[in-house]
Amino acid sequence: MERPPSLGFGLGLRPHYYPEILGRKPKVDWFEVISENFMVPGGQPLAVLERIRNDYPIVMHGVSMSIASTAPLDQDYLAALKGLAEHFQPEWISDHLCWTGVHGVNLHDLLPIPYTAEALDHVCDRIRRVQDFLGRRIAIENVSTYVTFAESEMDEWTFVRELCERADCWLLFDVNNVFVSSFNHDFDPLKFIDAVPRDRVVQIHLAGHSDHGTHKIDTHDQPITGDVWSLYAKVCPRFWHVSAMIERDDNFPPFGELLAELEHARMVHAEASPQRESAL
Ligand SMILES: [Fe+2]
């Protein structure tokens, strides 16, 4: 199984930071772009991406595949995704283990699924069909959740592990999402980490969340918390070879603060897996 390359430490590409990135060419190893932001013919977004792609590796991250929905796969969306990938040559393409709508309605949210054998069969089948169409493996991301289903027959981590093997896909492992879900549903996040199939993980997400006392929400509008840094340090010894990046989607700080967070990620990684630092 040929893995995509290790890219190092990246950031999510957001319009808020276009001037800084284009002007300074900052020390960022790679960028993750939101696929849907560039599914427009012509115009500024594509022109910006052309320039950034000349200087950095990119990966494409989508929010609309709705891979777990019971609605038919959106062939127009997949065709646009394939076209974008053929043009910009991302190292990989990812989306979320969720559904985002049904009956023609897009709720623009990453909705959870029950962890059942039936759902596993359904999602595996759809991932394989998408991969066949795109002609490449995709990476699927574990999401933050706020409800559980009485129908679930297995843990989330068992579902994810089975999914990766049976669909023959990659995993985008979001450490913040594991932390948020572990708090909301009172499970040990280390159980999730231990169960993740090491050779399937191609990318790690780090992000901030908001704390509402009784529950946490995956808002990407805060700095990464100490709890999530601690969890990342526990992830690194097993996943030292995996590209990592920071997602920030709101309440944008000065770009220098994000770069400082990225340096912190490098430091946590180096301290948690010092003998392997040179491999990234
Ligand atoms: Fe994420």
Side-chain angles (χ1 to χ4, degrees), residues 7 30-34 57-61 90-93 203:
L7 301 178
W30 55 283
F31 284 99
E32 180 190 78
V33 309
I34 303 297
I58 64 163
V59 306
M60 282 169 42
H61 186 51
E91 298 295 343
W92 57 84
I93 299 170
Q203 182 182 346

Side-chain angles (χ1 to χ4, degrees), residues 15-253:
H16 186 82
Y17 296 119
Y18 284 171
E20 295 262 15
I21 295 166
L22 293 171
R24 288 174 49 184
K25 294 189 182 170
K27 186 180 170 234
V28 176
D29 295 332
W30 55 283
F31 284 99
E32 180 190 78
V33 309
I34 303 297
S35 308
E36 288 80 359
N37 289 352
F38 301 95
M39 289 181 176
V40 287
Q44 194 217 13
L46 289 173
V48 168
L49 189 53
E50 293 280 4
R51 289 178 60 189
I52 286 171
R53 183 68 184 93
N54 284 337
D55 295 325
Y56 299 95
I58 64 163
V59 306
M60 282 169 42
H61 186 51
V63 293
S64 306
M65 194 178 285
S66 202
I67 197 70
S69 176
T70 54
L73 288 167
D74 184 340
Q75 292 300 331
D76 291 340
Y77 172 79
L78 292 176
L81 189 66
K82 187 174 185 177
L84 198 64
E86 284 174 350
H87 184 78
F88 285 103
Q89 296 290 308
E91 298 295 343
W92 57 84
I93 299 170
S94 63
D95 207 299
H96 303 82
L97 178 54
C98 72
W99 59 290
T100 57
V102 73
H103 302 310
V105 177
N106 188 341
L107 296 167
H108 301 288
D109 220 332
L110 308 175
L111 301 168
I113 58 171
Y115 303 125
T116 64
E118 183 184 16
L120 187 58
D121 287 345
H122 176 68
V123 182
C124 284
D125 175 62
R126 285 165 67 95
I127 292 174
R128 280 192 296 265
R129 284 161 51 203
V130 168
Q131 293 183 148
D132 285 348
F133 178 76
L134 296 176
R136 61 197 298 166
R137 287 195 187 93
I138 60 172
I140 295 293
E141 176 180 356
N142 59 293
V143 296
S144 289
T145 58
Y146 312 99
V147 295
T148 55
F149 292 84
E151 292 86 351
S152 285
E153 298 161 355
M154 62 190 92
D155 301 313
E156 181 184 0
W157 48 92
T158 304
F159 190 96
V160 167
R161 190 182 62 225
E162 287 288 312
L163 184 82
C164 291
E165 297 301 332
R166 287 177 46 189
D168 190 19
C169 65
W170 304 119
L171 180 64
L172 195 179
F173 187 48
D174 190 312
V175 175
N176 178 60
N177 288 349
V178 169
F179 179 75
V180 167
S181 292
S182 73
F183 181 88
N184 291 342
H185 307 312
D186 194 25
F187 66 75
D188 180 355
L190 296 182
K191 283 187 180 173
F192 201 140
I193 292 170
D194 289 344
V196 166
R198 185 176 180 278
D199 59 346
R200 294 284 175 181
V201 183
V202 294
Q203 182 182 346
I204 285 172
H205 268 173
L206 298 164
H209 58 261
S210 54
D211 187 343
H212 297 264
T214 55
H215 60 286
K216 299 181 191 296
I217 299 181
D218 178 38
T219 44
H220 300 182
D221 62 354
Q222 303 291 327
I224 297 163
T225 66
D227 289 324
V228 172
W229 284 126
S230 297
L231 201 55
Y232 180 51
K234 292 188 173 81
V235 166
C236 283
R238 194 156 168 252
F239 299 100
W240 57 269
H241 58 299
V242 176
S243 312
M245 57 83 64
I246 296 173
E247 301 179 284
R248 184 67 179 246
D249 290 297
D250 209 345
N251 190 25
F252 293 106

